[in-house]
């Protein structure tokens, strides 16, 4: 006890020792990483330009400096916290005496600890942690508005005019118990002097434990966190954060309400009997035997965003465009350059996406471009042009659609995974809820808001109710969510990419029908997807063998079975760097985009084209976004024509090939039926092979996939061009090539690759190639007959054989 002027004050000796030791730490600590410079003196200099009053203290430095000091701070943080703040204030005043000015004599300095060695889960916070310095991780689900909080009040006695300073507020409005004047016994009549009182910013944040931390069969736990001073507005809904602070016990007023009553805190406007200072919790007698319950709260001193890519700078303020604020080290930039210079870099980057899934390169490429994203733009009128890429995957069951979604949700820094059947319109967009304590309406973020600047993965997209699907129309194109309900009118940002997976209506995808008859999705939603891919589970011996081998190897050897070129952490860092680039269109690319769009529209108007939806300006914007994403993937600041060509090819493979079923060559097969015998004998297939069974096969429809048709066409055209070039150089021989020689060459080429296991397969291939040649002559116009192979004139002359006719490539034909 200390005696001073007749007043007795208690001095916490241990706390004073902690304050002096902490001040010594701030003055003398030298960081081994920074070449032995005094770390916190440089930190104090950094506070001046920002006019900040928060000192960020790395707790690992305290552990290096003095083990006893770190133990006392971590064990009794709530007790020593005012003394630690005082030590920081003394340190700054020693460094710069002008830190506290005359116009702000009550300026405080706050100490924010971070980088604790152990980050606890929310379920590990028990009463044993009350008052200790702990770190806890979780996902922010709700944030309140920033309000002022009275920390230390200065009160004036209305009876004698005496002023009482620095009355600490303890979680509620606390007035002095009695006037300090010996002749005045005032206990109730006080006036708050606002100019001399100390206020601070205050915000309540609801944090929920991450999905990976929830034990089996348990519901996610939530925790109310109080943010004060300069760390308000640092955490946004959807962020994964690491909070450092202390656990406190708060009386749970809500649990005291009578059953059926809505419990709300109301400020009492009238004071009865002049005993406002002793009110406490009223109406306890009506509760009967119910006890006063408590709940845990958390007072944070620092907030660190944990995005899984790299350690974020805890001092950085949150900007509107977060991608610009990321700083990369020289080592990381060298790593990106080395990745970029790898041979066949882009394909290796695609292969490193979802390595546990075998094949499906197109979908992996689409997911990579979606993670890269296009460039967000805004016009002079304030209209935002979408830069996010939306992808839809339609496929048969067991085609790894959900695996793709789960992988993408884990790879993206901000992501939400949800299922269509269990999602409502309010759950996807936003809902207006009533705060239980204040009774005010507030907006609670839905999946699309939580995934702002990230990716929202929606599984079972086709199972959603139509009313719920309509809710995401606006979010997919305008990237906003408009709410008008309960007196709240707001437009919220939902700048998110959507990765949706859907099943065909009949369980299996029917290739004979276009996409619109296979998927229960309206054209308005389908047209909002930049890329639509179909995964068809066709039996194929080679691919089945490869997939089965891959799956068994993954189950057997797990991580050792996968050997991607780039690790997941490398891809995360590379994507975060690529997203900082803003590639610009070159004049050549702009011209090529216009021509490609016109060509796509022309194909849209051809009679008999089977497209699910019309080519619209949305597809042109999709081409621009895909070209920009490809430029980002190659770390290029310009969108070159090569990227535009790849983007056009991606759009064609996703949309056009989805719609087109196989190419029917039955008409040309019927024309060739009478010449089957000639075909067999001309190409090494004996006549005896034409059994009745084969003839019945020829009566069936001959339908080829577009891929096979174009592959055979390219091979035949290439051979004819080679022949023309050799004739042009040598000057001897026919200008064209006989049909039987061309077919013989193709069959030999395929035979060298061991494509045929029997003579029947070779004969069927001959029939197919002859039908393709007939189609190229009559329907496509790619080939021209220069000689029909007739051997003479007159009635006795044999009819010309189609095998003997001479073919050349049409001069107007250009290969893609």
């Amino acid at each position: 006890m200390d005696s001073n002027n007749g007043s007795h004050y208690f001095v916490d000796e241990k706390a004073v020792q902690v304050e002096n030791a902490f001040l010594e730490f701030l003055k003398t600590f030298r960081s081994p990483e920074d070449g032995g410079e005094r770390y916190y003196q440089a930190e104090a200099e950094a506070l001046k330009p920002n006019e900040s009053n928060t000192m960020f203290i790395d707790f690992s430095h305290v552990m290096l400096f003095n083990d006893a000091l770190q133990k006392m701070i971590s064990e009794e943080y709530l007790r020593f916290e005012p003394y630690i703040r005082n030590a920081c204030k003394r340190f700054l005043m020693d460094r710069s005496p002008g830190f506290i000015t005359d116009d702000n004599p009550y300026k405080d300095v706050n100490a924010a600890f971070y980088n604790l060695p152990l980050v606890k889960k929310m379920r590990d916070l028990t009463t044993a942690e009350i008052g200790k310095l702990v770190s806890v991780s979780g996902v922010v689900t709700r944030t309140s508005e920033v309000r002022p909080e009275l920390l230390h009040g200065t009160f004036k006695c209305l009876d004698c005019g005496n002023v009482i300073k620095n009355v600490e507020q303890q979680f509620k409005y606390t007035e002095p118990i009695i006037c300090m004047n010996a002749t005045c016994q005032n206990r109730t009549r006080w006036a708050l002097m606002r100019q001399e009182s100390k206020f601070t910013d205050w915000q309540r944040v609801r944090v929920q434990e991450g999905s990976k931390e929830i034990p089996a069969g348990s519901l996610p736990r939530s925790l109310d966190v109080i943010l004060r001073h300069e760390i308000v507005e640092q955490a946004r809904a959807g962020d994964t954060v690491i909070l450092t602070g202390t656990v406190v016990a708060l009386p749970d007023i809500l649990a005291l309400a009578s059953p059926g009553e809505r419990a709300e805190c109301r400020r009492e406007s009238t004071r009865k009997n002049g005993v406002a200072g002793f009110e406490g919790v009223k109406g306890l007698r009506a509760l009967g035997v119910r006890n006063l319950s408590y709940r845990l709260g958390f007072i944070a001193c620092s907030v660190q965003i944990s995005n899984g890519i790299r350690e974020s700078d805890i001092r950085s303020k949150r900007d509107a465009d977060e991608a610009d604020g990321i700083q990369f080290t020289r080592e990381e930039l060298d790593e990106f350059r080395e990745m970029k210079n790898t041979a066949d870099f882009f394909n290796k980057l695609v292969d490193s996406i979802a390595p546990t899934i075998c094949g499906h390169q197109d979908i992996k490429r689409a997911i990579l471009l979606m993670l890269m994203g296009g460039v967000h733009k805004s016009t002079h009128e304030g209209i935002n042009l979408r830069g996010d890429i939306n992808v839809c995957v339609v496929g048969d069951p067991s085609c790894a659609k959900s695996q793709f979604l789960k992988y993408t949700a884990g790879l993206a820094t901000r992501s939400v995974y949800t299922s269509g059947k269990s999602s409502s319109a309010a759950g996807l967009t936003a809902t207006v809820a009533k705060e239980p304590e204040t009774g005010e309406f507030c907006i609670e973020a839905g999946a699309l808001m939580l995934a702002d600047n990230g990716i929202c993965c929606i599984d079972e997209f086709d199972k959603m109710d139509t009313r719920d699907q309509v809710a995401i129309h606006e979010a997919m194109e305008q990237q906003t969510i408009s709410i008008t309900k309960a007196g709240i009118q707001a437009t919220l940002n939902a700048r998110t990419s959507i990765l949706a997976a859907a099943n065909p209506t009949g369980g299996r995808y029917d290739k004979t029908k276009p996409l619109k008859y296979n998927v229960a999705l309206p054209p308005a939603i389908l047209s909002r997807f930049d890329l639509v891919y179909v995964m068809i589970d066709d039996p194929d011996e080679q691919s089945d063998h490869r997939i089965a081998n891959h799956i068994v190897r993954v189950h057997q050897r797990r991580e050792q079975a996968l050997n991607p070129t780039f690790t997941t952490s490398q891809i995360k860092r590379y994507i975060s760097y690529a997203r900082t680039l803003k590639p610009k269109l070159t004049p050549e690319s702009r011209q090529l985009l216009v021509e490609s769009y016109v060509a796509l529209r022309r194909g849209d108007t051809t009679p008999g084209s089977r497209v699910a939806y019309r080519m619209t300006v949305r597809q042109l914007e999709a081409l621009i976004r895909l070209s920009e994403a490809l430029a980002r993937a190659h770390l290029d600041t310009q969108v070159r024509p090569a990227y535009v060509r790849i983007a056009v090819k991606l759009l064609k493979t996703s949309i056009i090939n989805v719609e087109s079923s196989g190419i029917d060559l039955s008409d040309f097969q019927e024309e060739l039926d009478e010449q089957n015998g000639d075909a067999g004998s001309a190409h090494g297939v004996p006549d005896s092979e034409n059994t009745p069974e084969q003839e019945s096969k020829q009566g069936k429809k001959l339908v080829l996939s577009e891929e096979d048709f174009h592959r055979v066409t390219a091979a035949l055209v290439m051979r004819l061009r080679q022949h023309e070039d050799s004739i042009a150089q040598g000057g001897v021989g026919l200008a064209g090539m006989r049909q039987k020689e061309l077919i013989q060459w193709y069959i030999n080429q395929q035979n060298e690759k061991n494509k045929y296991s029997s003579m029947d397969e070779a004969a069927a291939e001959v029939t197919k190639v002859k039908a393709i040649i007939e189609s190229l002559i009559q329907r496509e116009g790619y080939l021209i007959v220069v000689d029909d192979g007739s051997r003479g004139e007159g009635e006795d002359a044999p009819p010309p054989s189609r095998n003997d006719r001479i073919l050349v490539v049409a001069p107007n034909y250009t290969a893609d």
Side-chain angles (χ1 to χ4, degrees), residues 120-132 221 247-248 296:
K120 289 185 175 289
K121 297 178 182 176
M122 211 166 287
R123 286 174 188 269
D124 298 339
L125 296 183
T126 58
T127 51
E129 310 297 331
I130 291 177
K132 295 182 180 179
R221 293 265 176 92
V247 181
V248 292
L296 288 181

PDB file of all heavy atoms in Angstrom, residues 120-132 221 247-248 296:
ATOM      1  N   LYS A 120      -5.338 -21.932 -31.611  1.00  0.00           N
ATOM      2  CA  LYS A 120      -6.302 -22.879 -31.053  1.00  0.00           C
ATOM      3  C   LYS A 120      -7.540 -22.987 -31.934  1.00  0.00           C
ATOM      4  O   LYS A 120      -7.874 -22.058 -32.667  1.00  0.00           O
ATOM      5  CB  LYS A 120      -6.721 -22.436 -29.651  1.00  0.00           C
ATOM      6  CG  LYS A 120      -5.636 -22.601 -28.604  1.00  0.00           C
ATOM      7  CD  LYS A 120      -6.155 -22.252 -27.231  1.00  0.00           C
ATOM      8  CE  LYS A 120      -5.109 -22.529 -26.167  1.00  0.00           C
ATOM      9  NZ  LYS A 120      -4.885 -23.955 -25.951  1.00  0.00           N
ATOM     10  N   LYS A 121      -8.199 -24.125 -31.839  1.00  0.00           N
ATOM     11  CA  LYS A 121      -9.507 -24.288 -32.472  1.00  0.00           C
ATOM     12  C   LYS A 121     -10.562 -23.689 -31.548  1.00  0.00           C
ATOM     13  O   LYS A 121     -10.354 -23.534 -30.348  1.00  0.00           O
ATOM     14  CB  LYS A 121      -9.809 -25.768 -32.704  1.00  0.00           C
ATOM     15  CG  LYS A 121      -8.838 -26.443 -33.653  1.00  0.00           C
ATOM     16  CD  LYS A 121      -9.188 -27.917 -33.788  1.00  0.00           C
ATOM     17  CE  LYS A 121      -8.201 -28.621 -34.695  1.00  0.00           C
ATOM     18  NZ  LYS A 121      -8.448 -30.065 -34.775  1.00  0.00           N
ATOM     19  N   MET A 122     -11.720 -23.397 -32.107  1.00  0.00           N
ATOM     20  CA  MET A 122     -12.759 -22.750 -31.326  1.00  0.00           C
ATOM     21  C   MET A 122     -13.267 -23.654 -30.204  1.00  0.00           C
ATOM     22  O   MET A 122     -13.650 -23.195 -29.133  1.00  0.00           O
ATOM     23  CB  MET A 122     -13.904 -22.350 -32.256  1.00  0.00           C
ATOM     24  CG  MET A 122     -14.625 -21.114 -31.807  1.00  0.00           C
ATOM     25  SD  MET A 122     -15.652 -20.462 -33.094  1.00  0.00           S
ATOM     26  CE  MET A 122     -14.463 -19.782 -34.196  1.00  0.00           C
ATOM     27  N   ARG A 123     -13.223 -24.963 -30.441  1.00  0.00           N
ATOM     28  CA  ARG A 123     -13.714 -25.898 -29.411  1.00  0.00           C
ATOM     29  C   ARG A 123     -12.743 -26.015 -28.234  1.00  0.00           C
ATOM     30  O   ARG A 123     -13.103 -26.521 -27.179  1.00  0.00           O
ATOM     31  CB  ARG A 123     -13.921 -27.287 -30.024  1.00  0.00           C
ATOM     32  CG  ARG A 123     -15.143 -27.328 -30.902  1.00  0.00           C
ATOM     33  CD  ARG A 123     -15.310 -28.625 -31.639  1.00  0.00           C
ATOM     34  NE  ARG A 123     -16.405 -28.481 -32.577  1.00  0.00           N
ATOM     35  CZ  ARG A 123     -17.673 -28.762 -32.305  1.00  0.00           C
ATOM     36  NH1 ARG A 123     -17.988 -29.222 -31.097  1.00  0.00           N
ATOM     37  NH2 ARG A 123     -18.624 -28.610 -33.195  1.00  0.00           N
ATOM     38  N   ASP A 124     -11.499 -25.568 -28.447  1.00  0.00           N
ATOM     39  CA  ASP A 124     -10.510 -25.656 -27.361  1.00  0.00           C
ATOM     40  C   ASP A 124     -10.591 -24.474 -26.414  1.00  0.00           C
ATOM     41  O   ASP A 124      -9.861 -24.436 -25.416  1.00  0.00           O
ATOM     42  CB  ASP A 124      -9.097 -25.740 -27.948  1.00  0.00           C
ATOM     43  CG  ASP A 124      -8.910 -26.982 -28.798  1.00  0.00           C
ATOM     44  OD1 ASP A 124      -9.695 -27.928 -28.612  1.00  0.00           O
ATOM     45  OD2 ASP A 124      -8.006 -27.000 -29.654  1.00  0.00           O
ATOM     46  N   LEU A 125     -11.419 -23.477 -26.719  1.00  0.00           N
ATOM     47  CA  LEU A 125     -11.549 -22.313 -25.830  1.00  0.00           C
ATOM     48  C   LEU A 125     -12.460 -22.681 -24.668  1.00  0.00           C
ATOM     49  O   LEU A 125     -13.667 -22.838 -24.831  1.00  0.00           O
ATOM     50  CB  LEU A 125     -12.125 -21.115 -26.597  1.00  0.00           C
ATOM     51  CG  LEU A 125     -11.267 -20.549 -27.730  1.00  0.00           C
ATOM     52  CD1 LEU A 125     -11.934 -19.331 -28.327  1.00  0.00           C
ATOM     53  CD2 LEU A 125      -9.876 -20.181 -27.240  1.00  0.00           C
ATOM     54  N   THR A 126     -11.878 -22.852 -23.502  1.00  0.00           N
ATOM     55  CA  THR A 126     -12.645 -23.197 -22.304  1.00  0.00           C
ATOM     56  C   THR A 126     -12.428 -22.107 -21.259  1.00  0.00           C
ATOM     57  O   THR A 126     -11.726 -21.124 -21.497  1.00  0.00           O
ATOM     58  CB  THR A 126     -12.174 -24.553 -21.750  1.00  0.00           C
ATOM     59  OG1 THR A 126     -10.775 -24.454 -21.478  1.00  0.00           O
ATOM     60  CG2 THR A 126     -12.411 -25.669 -22.774  1.00  0.00           C
ATOM     61  N   THR A 127     -13.020 -22.309 -20.104  1.00  0.00           N
ATOM     62  CA  THR A 127     -12.875 -21.306 -19.035  1.00  0.00           C
ATOM     63  C   THR A 127     -11.426 -21.207 -18.564  1.00  0.00           C
ATOM     64  O   THR A 127     -11.043 -20.197 -17.976  1.00  0.00           O
ATOM     65  CB  THR A 127     -13.777 -21.677 -17.845  1.00  0.00           C
ATOM     66  OG1 THR A 127     -13.533 -23.041 -17.490  1.00  0.00           O
ATOM     67  CG2 THR A 127     -15.238 -21.510 -18.204  1.00  0.00           C
ATOM     68  N   ALA A 128     -10.618 -22.241 -18.825  1.00  0.00           N
ATOM     69  CA  ALA A 128      -9.201 -22.172 -18.429  1.00  0.00           C
ATOM     70  C   ALA A 128      -8.453 -21.105 -19.211  1.00  0.00           C
ATOM     71  O   ALA A 128      -7.394 -20.645 -18.786  1.00  0.00           O
ATOM     72  CB  ALA A 128      -8.544 -23.534 -18.645  1.00  0.00           C
ATOM     73  N   GLU A 129      -8.987 -20.706 -20.365  1.00  0.00           N
ATOM     74  CA  GLU A 129      -8.306 -19.721 -21.211  1.00  0.00           C
ATOM     75  C   GLU A 129      -8.699 -18.276 -20.864  1.00  0.00           C
ATOM     76  O   GLU A 129      -8.193 -17.349 -21.495  1.00  0.00           O
ATOM     77  CB  GLU A 129      -8.632 -19.971 -22.688  1.00  0.00           C
ATOM     78  CG  GLU A 129      -8.452 -21.397 -23.163  1.00  0.00           C
ATOM     79  CD  GLU A 129      -7.007 -21.856 -23.066  1.00  0.00           C
ATOM     80  OE1 GLU A 129      -6.114 -20.993 -23.165  1.00  0.00           O
ATOM     81  OE2 GLU A 129      -6.790 -23.063 -22.873  1.00  0.00           O
ATOM     82  N   ILE A 130      -9.631 -18.088 -19.925  1.00  0.00           N
ATOM     83  CA  ILE A 130     -10.099 -16.726 -19.616  1.00  0.00           C
ATOM     84  C   ILE A 130      -8.934 -15.892 -19.089  1.00  0.00           C
ATOM     85  O   ILE A 130      -8.242 -16.302 -18.156  1.00  0.00           O
ATOM     86  CB  ILE A 130     -11.264 -16.766 -18.600  1.00  0.00           C
ATOM     87  CG1 ILE A 130     -12.506 -17.380 -19.259  1.00  0.00           C
ATOM     88  CG2 ILE A 130     -11.579 -15.375 -18.081  1.00  0.00           C
ATOM     89  CD1 ILE A 130     -13.684 -17.542 -18.333  1.00  0.00           C
ATOM     90  N   GLY A 131      -8.729 -14.727 -19.704  1.00  0.00           N
ATOM     91  CA  GLY A 131      -7.669 -13.821 -19.263  1.00  0.00           C
ATOM     92  C   GLY A 131      -6.318 -14.088 -19.886  1.00  0.00           C
ATOM     93  O   GLY A 131      -5.399 -13.291 -19.745  1.00  0.00           O
ATOM     94  N   LYS A 132      -6.148 -15.220 -20.623  1.00  0.00           N
ATOM     95  CA  LYS A 132      -4.854 -15.534 -21.236  1.00  0.00           C
ATOM     96  C   LYS A 132      -4.792 -14.964 -22.649  1.00  0.00           C
ATOM     97  O   LYS A 132      -5.823 -14.656 -23.260  1.00  0.00           O
ATOM     98  CB  LYS A 132      -4.653 -17.053 -21.287  1.00  0.00           C
ATOM     99  CG  LYS A 132      -4.544 -17.706 -19.927  1.00  0.00           C
ATOM    100  CD  LYS A 132      -4.295 -19.197 -20.073  1.00  0.00           C
ATOM    101  CE  LYS A 132      -4.187 -19.873 -18.715  1.00  0.00           C
ATOM    102  NZ  LYS A 132      -3.959 -21.320 -18.835  1.00  0.00           N
ATOM    103  N   ARG A 221     -19.498 -24.470 -34.208  1.00  0.00           N
ATOM    104  CA  ARG A 221     -19.596 -23.543 -33.082  1.00  0.00           C
ATOM    105  C   ARG A 221     -19.355 -22.114 -33.569  1.00  0.00           C
ATOM    106  O   ARG A 221     -18.600 -21.893 -34.504  1.00  0.00           O
ATOM    107  CB  ARG A 221     -18.527 -23.886 -32.047  1.00  0.00           C
ATOM    108  CG  ARG A 221     -18.748 -25.219 -31.357  1.00  0.00           C
ATOM    109  CD  ARG A 221     -19.480 -25.064 -30.049  1.00  0.00           C
ATOM    110  NE  ARG A 221     -19.754 -26.358 -29.457  1.00  0.00           N
ATOM    111  CZ  ARG A 221     -18.947 -26.966 -28.596  1.00  0.00           C
ATOM    112  NH1 ARG A 221     -17.819 -26.379 -28.249  1.00  0.00           N
ATOM    113  NH2 ARG A 221     -19.261 -28.127 -28.081  1.00  0.00           N
ATOM    114  N   VAL A 247      -9.996 -14.383 -23.958  1.00  0.00           N
ATOM    115  CA  VAL A 247     -11.365 -14.862 -23.742  1.00  0.00           C
ATOM    116  C   VAL A 247     -11.905 -14.213 -22.479  1.00  0.00           C
ATOM    117  O   VAL A 247     -11.206 -14.116 -21.462  1.00  0.00           O
ATOM    118  CB  VAL A 247     -11.381 -16.397 -23.601  1.00  0.00           C
ATOM    119  CG1 VAL A 247     -12.799 -16.908 -23.409  1.00  0.00           C
ATOM    120  CG2 VAL A 247     -10.747 -17.046 -24.817  1.00  0.00           C
ATOM    121  N   VAL A 248     -13.164 -13.739 -22.550  1.00  0.00           N
ATOM    122  CA  VAL A 248     -13.813 -13.156 -21.372  1.00  0.00           C
ATOM    123  C   VAL A 248     -15.165 -13.839 -21.179  1.00  0.00           C
ATOM    124  O   VAL A 248     -15.740 -14.390 -22.123  1.00  0.00           O
ATOM    125  CB  VAL A 248     -14.014 -11.626 -21.535  1.00  0.00           C
ATOM    126  CG1 VAL A 248     -12.693 -10.911 -21.520  1.00  0.00           C
ATOM    127  CG2 VAL A 248     -14.785 -11.302 -22.791  1.00  0.00           C
ATOM    128  N   LEU A 296     -19.114 -17.258 -23.366  1.00  0.00           N
ATOM    129  CA  LEU A 296     -17.751 -16.814 -23.653  1.00  0.00           C
ATOM    130  C   LEU A 296     -17.766 -15.778 -24.769  1.00  0.00           C
ATOM    131  O   LEU A 296     -18.462 -15.939 -25.772  1.00  0.00           O
ATOM    132  CB  LEU A 296     -16.875 -18.002 -24.071  1.00  0.00           C
ATOM    133  CG  LEU A 296     -16.478 -18.989 -22.970  1.00  0.00           C
ATOM    134  CD1 LEU A 296     -15.601 -20.075 -23.556  1.00  0.00           C
ATOM    135  CD2 LEU A 296     -15.740 -18.290 -21.846  1.00  0.00           C
TER     136      LEU A 296
END
